[in-house]
Amino acid sequence: MDSQEQPIKGAQSVYRVLNILEAVIQRGDQMISPKELSSALDIPLATVHRLLAVLRQRNFVACDPVTKKYHIGEGCLINPKQNLGGYIRSRFTPLAERLSRRFGYPTILYARRGYDAVCVQRVDGWNPIQIYLNKVGDRRPLGMGSATLSILAALPEEEAEAILARNEEEIRWVLQTDFTALRRFLEQARRQGYAASSDMLLKGTIGVSHALRMGDEVIGSIAVDAMRSEQWERDEAFIVRELKESLLF
């Protein structure tokens, strides 16, 4: 073995922390439990819990409140090759999968790119009617649909208004309602902390979304789309609560 590969004496805890962090990063979109880490890395479970607590305190990892499994945290900057879309998929796909699995509706992740948002992940649910307004790779200007209204609502108002003015002509080409309704949905989103809209891109559709952040920066959104129905009326409040509780920063 090369001398550079020899473990450095007295640094066992450092090696363990780095091995845990590497294992979480390698999981990408999938989460991992402390027990799985303990087994894979041959580290006592109590030690794994203690080291994860340190990593979580520094935001290098985050813990899903339902499954108690871990995924990449917003402070994890060790993987410089990971672009914003990759970060959003790694960080928020577990939430999208949980929402889709629980409520049955398609749940979509978007990354903000300047004046636009790009679909970076889509998780379909079990509901027999799935709304296909976007597929992975599609872009839409900010202001087009609830998925982007949540991003605008989270931005400083002056910046949001400038973006909306810039995108207005393109939005009007596809908007199924009038621009007054769009502005009403935007004002509601600013007050509520999440966006909800209906009939904007397709008659009979409805959706909610919440902005995604990295620290103080608004980086994208997570959206749930559906056809208007009695089931949706029952589910919407629970979906909103799950989004808010899961995205507390």
Side-chain angles (χ1 to χ4, degrees):
M1 178 181 292
D2 186 88
S3 60
Q4 292 182 341
E5 297 177 353
Q6 295 291 341
I8 297 173
K9 293 182 179 180
Q12 183 184 38
S13 292
V14 177
Y15 282 112
R16 284 177 165 177
V17 168
L18 292 176
N19 286 339
I20 289 172
L21 187 56
E22 182 180 45
V24 174
I25 290 172
Q26 287 177 344
R27 278 296 181 102
D29 295 348
Q30 305 300 314
M31 295 184 288
I32 190 168
S33 69
K35 187 174 181 180
E36 289 172 315
L37 287 167
S38 174
S39 177
L41 301 175
D42 194 25
I43 301 174
L45 184 58
T47 302
V48 169
H49 279 291
R50 186 171 67 251
L51 297 179
L52 282 171
V54 174
L55 289 169
R56 185 178 180 185
Q57 187 179 57
R58 297 300 300 272
N59 292 323
F60 284 115
V61 301
C63 183
D64 183 88
V66 176
T67 65
K68 305 302 181 184
K69 292 186 177 183
Y70 285 78
H71 54 80
I72 299 169
E74 66 179 51
C76 186
L77 305 177
I78 288 180
N79 189 0
K81 294 182 180 179
Q82 186 179 50
N83 60 24
L84 182 60
Y87 170 81
I88 289 174
R89 285 191 297 272
S90 296
R91 174 68 178 82
F92 298 105
T93 292
L95 172 58
E97 290 178 339
R98 188 167 76 242
L99 287 167
S100 187
R101 188 166 53 245
R102 178 178 176 186
F103 298 102
Y105 307 110
T107 306
I108 305 99
L109 299 176
Y110 295 87
R112 181 191 173 188
R113 293 184 185 170
Y115 294 97
D116 301 325
V118 177
C119 176
V120 297
Q121 181 70 296
R122 177 188 172 92
V123 182
D124 291 323
W126 46 262
N127 192 292
I129 301 177
Q130 300 287 295
I131 305 301
Y132 286 92
L133 297 175
N134 274 125
K135 62 180 183 296
V136 173
D138 285 351
R139 63 165 283 277
R140 60 168 65 178
L142 296 181
M144 186 184 289
S146 67
T148 65
L149 286 178
S150 63
I151 297 174
L152 284 180
L155 296 173
E157 188 169 343
E158 184 177 346
E159 180 182 356
E161 288 299 322
I163 292 172
L164 196 57
R166 190 261 189 190
N167 289 343
E168 181 174 351
E169 184 176 354
E170 183 178 1
I171 292 171
R172 284 186 183 274
W173 276 101
V174 298
L175 200 62
Q176 297 297 308
T177 185
D178 58 51
F179 219 75
T180 302
L182 184 154
R183 287 196 168 278
R184 185 173 67 251
F185 290 138
L186 179 56
E187 288 303 319
Q188 289 174 348
R190 287 178 176 140
R191 293 194 303 269
Q192 296 171 158
Y194 70 95
S197 66
S198 60
D199 302 319
M200 288 188 71
L201 302 179
L202 183 66
K203 292 295 184 180
T205 60
I206 193 165
V208 297
S209 78
H210 198 293
L212 302 177
R213 296 178 181 270
M214 181 187 290
D216 293 330
E217 183 182 0
V218 181
I219 60 171
S221 68
I222 179 170
V224 181
D225 294 327
M227 294 298 294
R228 188 183 290 105
S229 66
E230 292 182 1
Q231 183 63 47
W232 174 264
E233 295 297 326
R234 291 191 291 270
D235 289 339
E236 182 176 359
F238 295 102
I239 293 171
V240 169
R241 185 175 66 185
E242 182 106 3
L243 285 170
K244 285 188 170 183
E245 290 179 351
S246 299
L247 295 172
L248 289 176
F249 289 97

